[in-house]
Amino acid sequence: MDITFLTLNPESIEPLFSQGVIGRARLSGILNIQAVNIRDYATDKHHTVDDTPYGGGSGMLLKVDIVYTAVSGIKQKAAIKNLKPYVVLTSPGGKVFHQQKACELSQKESLIFVCGQYEGIDARLNDLCIDEEISIGDFVLSGGEMAAAAMANAICRLLPGVLGDEVSAIEDSHSTSLLEYPQYTRPSDFLGQKVPSVLLSGDHARIELWRWQQSFLKTLQIRPELLKNYDFTGLDKKQKKFVDDLHKQQLL
Ligand code: SAH
């Protein structure tokens, strides 16, 4: 996969993608990451990229002509490699990013993240060259780089070969509409806090059921709305009994 960050701070991107599984994926050629400076597409001698909003108001906007030329330039270079990048605008006004969106975007061969700055971008860019406007949550950052990097990281770790263990991405929180069960490593007793004994039992069926129950309970307590998307049809007898008991106790 090719990912391009279009940004006024290209130097902020590299350190976020040079370590760990993502850094290794780049070295092995699974992933190409580049950051392009919006200012490289400025046309005046002051390298201006922003201007004041029509109708007044505070702050500056990234200019339509500069960002459009930059996106077009990146797309032209991608076309040489037969790639057609999907363009994502980072914006607190977009639909909120989630794991399913990460899965969907991980199927694309090429992505461009447009990182806003100041008060954002000229709205005409949405029609001209943006495929999708995405927010990472209901809060406002000062620039799109961290939002784009967070999305790109979630996307990259889903690419085949990026995580050592393919199963671990499937079991992650949000992959099944349930939050992940609690996990523990050695020592089994720390300051009197003991690891649940079932995990030391070696009984894999019991461990699997316990983990699923813990996932279910944690989701019910912390993010009950996620259970609306949960598929109850595939539950086995023991899981069904667990859910029935929760119903009887009026916890579900
Ligand atoms: N005035 C704008 C906010 C601009 S913040 C508004 O109210 O919508 C500057 C830039 O930071 C944005 O253009 C966007 O690229 C980025 N940004 C801020 N918050 C974000 C969020 N929650 N998700 C994604 N990008 C965000």
Side-chain angles (χ1 to χ4, degrees):
M1 170 180 266
D2 275 20
I3 301 184
T4 303
F5 296 87
L6 184 59
T7 164
L8 281 176
N9 301 300
E11 68 287 349
S12 66
I13 300 297
E14 184 58 33
L16 300 172
F17 293 91
S18 52
Q19 317 283 325
V21 288
I22 307 282
R24 278 200 292 281
R26 287 176 75 190
L27 289 175
S28 68
I30 297 171
L31 194 59
N32 291 313
I33 301 265
Q34 62 161 350
V36 171
N37 197 336
I38 299 174
R39 221 173 274 286
D40 291 347
Y41 289 85
T43 47
D44 65 345
K45 68 172 190 238
H46 300 294
H47 302 289
T48 308
V49 292
D50 58 328
D51 207 340
T52 53
Y54 278 118
S58 63
M60 304 293 274
L61 294 175
L62 287 174
K63 284 164 64 62
V64 62
D65 49 344
I66 308 288
V67 177
Y68 180 75
T69 314
V71 172
S72 306
I74 297 165
K75 280 184 168 172
Q76 271 165 23
K77 283 190 189 137
I80 299 168
K81 293 203 300 183
N82 261 336
L83 295 174
K84 200 169 173 291
Y86 188 79
V87 185
V88 173
L89 170 67
T90 56
S91 156
K95 286 207 178 133
V96 178
F97 189 70
H98 47 68
Q99 189 65 15
Q100 235 169 302
K101 181 56 72 180
C103 278
E104 196 185 306
L105 293 177
S106 72
Q107 306 299 315
K108 310 273 182 203
E109 280 182 329
S110 176
L111 293 170
I112 299 174
F113 283 103
V114 178
C115 305
Q117 193 74 217
Y118 315 122
E119 278 309 305
I121 62 165
D122 186 305
R124 285 168 290 185
L125 285 160
N126 276 304
D127 287 335
L128 285 169
C129 60
I130 303 291
D131 292 309
E132 191 164 358
E133 186 178 350
I134 310 184
S135 163
I136 59 160
D138 294 337
F139 46 84
V140 181
L141 301 164
S142 56
E145 291 75 13
M146 278 189 267
M151 287 190 251
N153 185 294
I155 292 163
C156 292
R157 65 194 290 288
L158 295 175
L159 298 175
V162 170
L163 291 186
D165 179 359
E166 300 283 330
V167 180
S168 46
I170 298 166
E171 289 185 352
D172 280 336
S173 299
H174 299 299
S175 297
T176 58
S177 304
L178 295 185
L179 303 179
E180 196 178 57
Y181 47 81
Q183 303 213 68
Y184 307 86
T185 184
R186 271 176 277 272
S188 62
D189 184 339
F190 183 66
L191 299 179
Q193 296 271 325
K194 292 194 174 62
V195 168
S197 57
V198 59
L199 296 176
L200 311 176
S201 70
D203 181 341
H204 292 297
R206 256 183 79 213
I207 292 173
E208 207 182 313
L209 177 64
W210 180 86
R211 285 181 164 165
W212 175 82
Q213 288 171 337
Q214 294 301 311
S215 278
F216 198 91
L217 288 175
K218 187 170 180 194
T219 311
L220 184 61
Q221 275 164 11
I222 295 176
R223 299 286 305 279
E225 77 282 7
L226 294 178
L227 291 177
K228 273 192 260 145
N229 298 323
Y230 190 66
D231 178 14
F232 287 87
T233 57
L235 298 188
D236 65 21
K237 243 167 105 182
K238 286 183 177 161
Q239 290 173 316
K240 275 195 196 117
K241 182 173 177 325
F242 181 77
V243 171
D244 285 348
D245 286 347
L246 288 174
H247 274 300
K248 277 185 204 141
Q249 295 169 56
Q250 298 191 329
L251 294 170
L252 189 64

